[in-house]
Amino acid sequence: MSSAAETSSATRINPVVELRRDGEIAVLAVNSPPVNALSAQVREGIVEGIRQAGTDASVKAVVLHCDGRTFFAGADISEFGKPPKQPMLPEVVDFIEASSKPVVAALHGTALGGGLETALACHYRVAVPSAKCGFPEVKLGLLPGAGGTQRLPRLVGPERALEMITSGSPISAKAAKEMGIVDEIVDEGNLLASAIAFARKVVAENRPLKKVRDLDDKIAAARGKPEIFQEFRKANARKFRGFQAPEYNIRCIEAAVNQPFDEGIKLERKLFQELVSGEQSAAQRHVFFAERQVWKIPDISDDTPTLPVKKVGVIGAGTMGGGISMNFANAGLPVTIVEAKPEALERGLGVIRRNYESTAKKGRMSMEDVERRMGLLTGSLNMEDLADCDLIIEAVFENMAIKKEIFSKLDAIAKPGAILASNTSYLNVNEIAAMTKRPEHVLGMHFFSPANVMRLLEVVRGEKTDKRVIATAMQLGRQIGKIAVLVGVCHGFVGNRMLEPRQREANRLILEGAMPWDVDRVLYEFGFPMGPFAMADLAGLDIGWSRETSKGETVREILCEQDRRGQKTGAGFYDYDESRNAKPSKLVEQIILDLSAKKGIARRTISDQEILERCVYTMINEGAKILEEGIAIRSSDIDIVWINGYGWPIYRGGPMFYGEQVGLGKVLDRLRVYEAKLGPEFKPSALLERLVAEGKGFRDL
Ligand code: 3HC
């Protein structure tokens, strides 16, 4: 660090904080890798540094600067939920703001959360152009708890503060400058020297100690106007549904506008404490760490060499094949898409173009980008054209015989070293791999529909898959913006295997006494975007159904026979109006009552609790079996699958986390009750029994 070398003296305050000197400017330098999170040691060091600079008469101003890749990326998330360590961040920021000498924050990297709050307590802020600022707390089920909800509105006004704080999305240094968060943008490679020069200017010009807490001009106009906040709540109701934190953030910003600073701070502190000790934030923090764990594979080290992938082949231009191809084109990789029939190929490419064009129409992509991406896609009717691809993904109909045939052909066509992947959602990848002479180069890459949108990618490890091939698939997943989860071979892998018991119970429940809308309501209120029956209507009830083979034994079969095939036919489990609003159906109710009677099932009143337990606890039990069999590496990987592939509410942390939050003992007890009453489908897994007996959780494995 060039300027550090120029400083004339340095005092080490503690292992992570140093007070350096550059003439009359003190540089409070923090070095706490990887992201300079504001741990107790960092906080202590800052307070001590400011104190020392304050008492040293030769110091005229202080620059607060972080070494390494970023300014403080926030509070240390790993400290939450543990006994608090002094000094707490709110006191630290107050101490900085109260400094009798100007403090200048030098921002680079990501000044996030508590990091930005620290910067806002400084009297001035400079930033390099690549720096980003933001308040991501809401994504952790929190609110900025060190004055952020009170200072930001005073700087930028309530509207922008609402947007920034409740979205959690960072903004660029340029935007921060325009809003007044940053006072000056400085040269990219010269942050520290520029910040020191800025501090000298502040001293030379005898500029005041600018305290954000004293500002009023940006909030005055909104005072006594609750409608600003009501409208914001209304406009975002769907997005915020189920989450506690957005509302708490809004209340704090409203207080910033209407109440004196210290009152606002009191409310902020109270609500922060409530959130940080609550279940939602615990769940969201779990997800934060789980998303980072998922990439770590115990027997495949980070330095495992990956195979170069410069060109991709996709077999099948249907919904899945098209979506998969878009992912790679978006990442700048050329893709050859092979289809059997010219019409299907043309249709597939047409759908991709329309998808891109609709994104462009919404202003999220330029027309040049559309053409650039389409230019990366080459259609072909000949599998031989895949000979130069480094990775080939098969995305055809879910049928083992067809897949086997394709892989045996592919083996003869693909160049040596090419990776052959199947997008199968259920089938045995080992059997598919056995059709080739290169099973070590075969694996599953299971995308979720729509594949260009959904974040989840299950990477399926076959028994012979080479470690380099797995490392390559994981890295490619990251490159195309997915969250890749490594899973083992079994029917349905992690996600679809756990979906099965939920579907089974949903279908049993409606024959025993509930109605589809009861089951859907319970799961919707739990936090899923929709329940299983609404979902089935959306997907189409006739997937995998045919009139010839239909036996009329399930509600779904009967509905299909009556041409109630879901939303597309205007009726399914529900009746739909022209705007596709769902309404419970009297006819369906009768179909269900008749079928119950035909099967000799005495219907009874079923409580919401029973619906939830039977749909969700059976999933947790299946997850435990998955862990027991080593299909998933860790329980948090299962959580990631369900959050990113199936709409499990983030604020409930994923099924395995939820199971622990409810208490594995309780889950086990309820499974035993249902087993005795309803049958062996509820038999608890041996792992669950063992963990409860040992007083342990999934995370102890
Ligand atoms: N606390 C503790 N650990 C953190 C952390 C934090 N705030 N931010 C990142 N880390 C850890 C990660 O867990 C990871 O650890 P690992 O290597 O052991 O897996 C390591 O730092 C590197 O993180 P990433 O892999 O995420 O690195 P990237 O370069 O991809 O991203 C980042 C960097 C943008 C800073 C990203 O880590 C991030 O978004 N961090 C969280 C920021 C955040 O949420 N801040 C607000 C915290 S809450 C708060 O401040 C409350 C306050 O208002 C009182």
Side-chain angles (χ1 to χ4, degrees):
M1 204 183 55
S2 60
S3 291
E6 288 158 22
T7 52
S8 48
S9 65
T11 312
R12 178 147 294 287
I13 290 176
N14 67 26
V16 292
V17 183
E18 199 175 62
L19 196 61
R20 300 172 188 154
R21 279 297 290 277
D22 189 319
E24 58 185 11
I25 308 298
V27 176
L28 190 49
V30 179
N31 187 1
S32 182
V35 298
N36 288 311
L38 285 148
S39 63
Q41 202 172 38
V42 171
R43 299 195 299 272
E44 233 171 51
I46 294 174
V47 170
E48 181 54 21
I50 295 285
R51 197 193 60 74
Q52 287 186 17
T55 52
D56 183 339
S58 64
V59 171
K60 298 287 182 252
V62 184
V63 167
L64 180 56
H65 176 265
C66 292
D67 292 347
R69 67 198 222 212
T70 180
F71 191 72
F72 310 112
D76 184 341
I77 303 168
S78 63
E79 282 183 5
F80 295 147
K82 298 188 184 143
K85 289 188 192 151
Q86 302 301 328
M88 301 300 285
L89 194 57
E91 290 139 37
V92 177
V93 302
D94 283 350
F95 195 74
I96 295 173
E97 196 176 50
S99 158
S100 57
K101 296 170 186 174
V103 184
V104 178
L107 311 184
H108 75 294
T110 43
L112 300 177
L116 183 54
E117 291 177 297
T118 305
L120 294 188
C122 295
H123 306 105
Y124 296 93
R125 288 156 293 281
V126 299
V128 290
S130 62
K132 289 198 164 63
C133 299
F135 282 121
E137 282 88 342
V138 73
K139 296 186 178 167
L140 298 169
L142 295 172
L143 51 83
T149 66
Q150 302 306 298
R151 288 195 176 86
L152 188 69
R154 285 176 164 80
L155 256 186
V156 305
E159 289 84 357
R160 282 173 152 170
L162 281 168
E163 179 52 40
M164 214 172 135
I165 290 179
T166 64
S167 74
S169 307
I171 57 167
S172 66
K174 186 165 166 256
K177 169 82 172 59
E178 277 160 18
M179 288 188 196
I181 296 174
V182 162
D183 297 289
E184 198 168 288
I185 304 267
V186 300
D187 274 359
E188 191 69 52
N190 220 4
L191 175 62
L192 185 53
S194 306
I196 292 171
F198 185 91
R200 285 218 165 85
K201 203 161 59 179
V202 169
V203 173
E205 293 171 7
N206 207 9
R207 290 201 204 170
L209 292 172
K210 258 177 45 186
K211 294 184 187 174
V212 176
R213 68 156 68 212
D214 296 335
L215 302 176
D216 189 60
D217 57 319
K218 293 273 172 52
I219 49 175
R223 203 159 290 144
K225 289 194 182 146
E227 61 276 14
I228 297 178
F229 300 93
Q230 278 314 348
E231 275 159 26
F232 187 78
R233 286 183 175 98
K234 222 168 102 196
N236 291 283
R238 238 177 105 113
K239 194 167 116 196
F240 296 160
R241 181 177 77 90
F243 289 92
Q244 205 179 3
E247 172 57 25
Y248 279 35
N249 276 288
I250 297 171
R251 279 164 60 187
C252 287
I253 299 168
E254 200 164 1
V257 168
N258 293 310
Q259 293 180 32
F261 184 84
D262 290 332
E263 289 304 308
I265 288 286
K266 266 191 215 153
L267 180 72
E268 179 191 272
R269 212 151 290 177
K270 178 171 161 277
L271 296 187
F272 180 84
Q273 284 310 334
E274 207 182 302
L275 289 177
V276 79
S277 54
E279 290 195 336
Q280 290 203 352
S281 177
Q284 289 176 258
R285 289 179 338 246
H286 161 75
V287 176
F288 175 86
F289 288 114
E291 282 189 350
R292 283 154 180 83
Q293 276 284 99
V294 79
W295 304 98
K296 295 169 190 163
I297 304 166
D299 69 329
I300 304 181
S301 62
D302 284 350
D303 54 7
T304 304
T306 54
L307 308 173
V309 175
K310 301 247 154 48
K311 192 163 182 207
V312 178
V314 173
I315 304 178
T319 313
M320 285 314 289
I324 293 170
S325 304
M326 287 173 77
N327 283 309
F328 291 101
N330 294 348
L333 287 168
V335 185
T336 301
I337 311 176
V338 174
E339 250 300 343
K341 297 213 174 81
E343 314 81 70
L345 182 60
E346 210 170 301
R347 196 177 333 118
L349 287 169
V351 170
I352 296 177
R353 174 172 282 283
R354 276 198 297 285
N355 273 336
Y356 279 140
E357 285 175 352
S358 108
T359 309
K361 273 199 197 102
K362 289 177 197 144
R364 286 194 262 127
M365 183 190 285
S366 68
M367 275 316 285
E368 291 81 67
D369 268 339
V370 173
E371 294 310 326
R372 197 169 310 127
R373 288 176 206 200
M374 286 308 295
L376 287 167
L377 303 173
T378 311
S380 163
L381 297 169
N382 189 354
M383 250 168 63
E384 309 276 335
D385 288 340
L386 300 174
D388 62 344
C389 292
D390 305 299
L391 163 71
I392 302 166
I393 303 175
E394 162 277 311
V396 303
F397 191 64
E398 190 74 346
N399 174 301
M400 188 54 119
I402 299 177
K403 291 198 192 266
K404 280 186 170 172
E405 194 189 320
I406 288 180
F407 272 78
S408 111
K409 270 195 204 157
L410 259 186
D411 194 27
I413 294 168
K415 67 182 182 188
I419 300 175
L420 310 183
S422 172
N423 176 50
T424 177
S425 34
Y426 284 95
L427 301 175
N428 188 325
V429 172
N430 295 328
E431 267 184 53
I432 296 174
M435 298 308 292
T436 72
K437 290 187 211 66
R438 53 173 113 187
E440 69 288 349
H441 276 77
V442 178
L443 83 175
M445 287 178 81
H446 179 207
F447 291 80
F448 289 72
S449 187
N452 55 317
V453 177
M454 296 294 284
R455 234 180 127 210
L456 179 62
L457 171 67
E458 280 182 331
V459 174
V460 188
R461 178 180 198 162
E463 60 190 5
K464 299 208 171 126
T465 315
D466 190 282
K467 290 180 179 176
R468 288 167 309 164
V469 171
I470 295 166
T472 307
M474 295 296 286
Q475 186 223 304
L476 268 174
R478 207 193 271 272
Q479 195 182 333
I480 61 174
K482 300 289 175 203
I483 185 146
V485 183
L486 187 64
V487 301
V489 174
C490 66
H491 187 71
F493 316 121
V494 168
N496 282 342
R497 176 167 163 184
M498 285 170 70
L499 185 62
E500 205 274 330
R502 193 186 85 172
Q503 292 299 97
R504 182 194 66 224
E505 288 313 306
N507 287 323
R508 274 166 46 138
L509 282 160
I510 61 173
L511 290 179
E512 289 171 31
M515 281 293 152
W517 29 97
D518 299 323
V519 176
D520 281 356
R521 177 182 43 77
V522 169
L523 290 172
Y524 178 79
E525 282 169 4
F526 182 76
F528 281 99
M530 61 177 81
F533 296 104
M535 186 67 216
D537 272 0
L538 181 67
L541 302 187
D542 55 354
I543 300 175
W545 174 87
S546 76
R547 198 173 283 283
E548 298 71 47
T549 55
S550 186
K551 296 198 189 88
E553 278 178 358
T554 63
V555 177
R556 183 170 152 164
E557 282 180 332
I558 299 170
L559 293 177
C560 283
E561 285 167 14
Q562 300 193 5
D563 281 330
R564 295 182 66 102
R565 300 191 184 182
Q567 283 199 18
K568 62 184 174 189
T569 57
F573 283 101
Y574 293 84
D575 290 333
Y576 292 90
D577 65 17
E578 269 152 30
S579 332
R580 294 208 168 182
N581 293 312
K583 246 189 16 233
S585 161
K586 277 274 161 227
L587 194 112
V588 172
E589 194 170 329
Q590 198 53 53
I591 291 174
I592 292 172
L593 296 178
D594 292 348
L595 193 61
S596 295
K598 190 172 148 201
K599 288 184 183 276
I601 301 169
R603 291 180 69 85
R604 61 190 167 88
T605 306
I606 294 187
S607 68
D608 287 359
Q609 185 194 344
E610 178 170 347
I611 292 175
L612 188 68
E613 289 177 351
R614 284 175 58 181
C615 288
V616 172
Y617 291 6
T618 46
M619 285 177 56
I620 299 168
N621 197 32
E622 197 64 39
K625 290 180 197 163
I626 284 171
L627 277 177
E628 205 168 23
E629 294 166 24
I631 299 294
I633 294 172
R634 48 184 92 80
S635 64
S636 61
D637 286 7
I638 300 179
D639 292 334
I640 290 298
V641 165
W642 266 79
I643 286 170
N644 292 285
Y646 298 83
W648 182 281
I650 296 178
Y651 56 81
R652 293 197 196 273
M656 308 313 273
F657 181 85
Y658 176 73
E660 291 186 315
Q661 222 169 30
V662 168
L664 295 189
K666 180 174 172 205
V667 174
L668 179 65
D669 283 349
R670 298 303 295 159
L671 285 169
R672 283 185 179 141
V673 168
Y674 291 121
E675 185 189 11
K677 206 161 92 180
L678 297 161
E681 291 88 348
F682 293 91
K683 186 175 169 28
S685 80
L687 177 67
L688 190 58
E689 303 251 18
R690 175 167 72 77
L691 288 177
V692 173
E694 292 172 359
K696 291 187 178 157
F698 294 128
R699 67 189 89 183
D700 300 316
L701 291 171

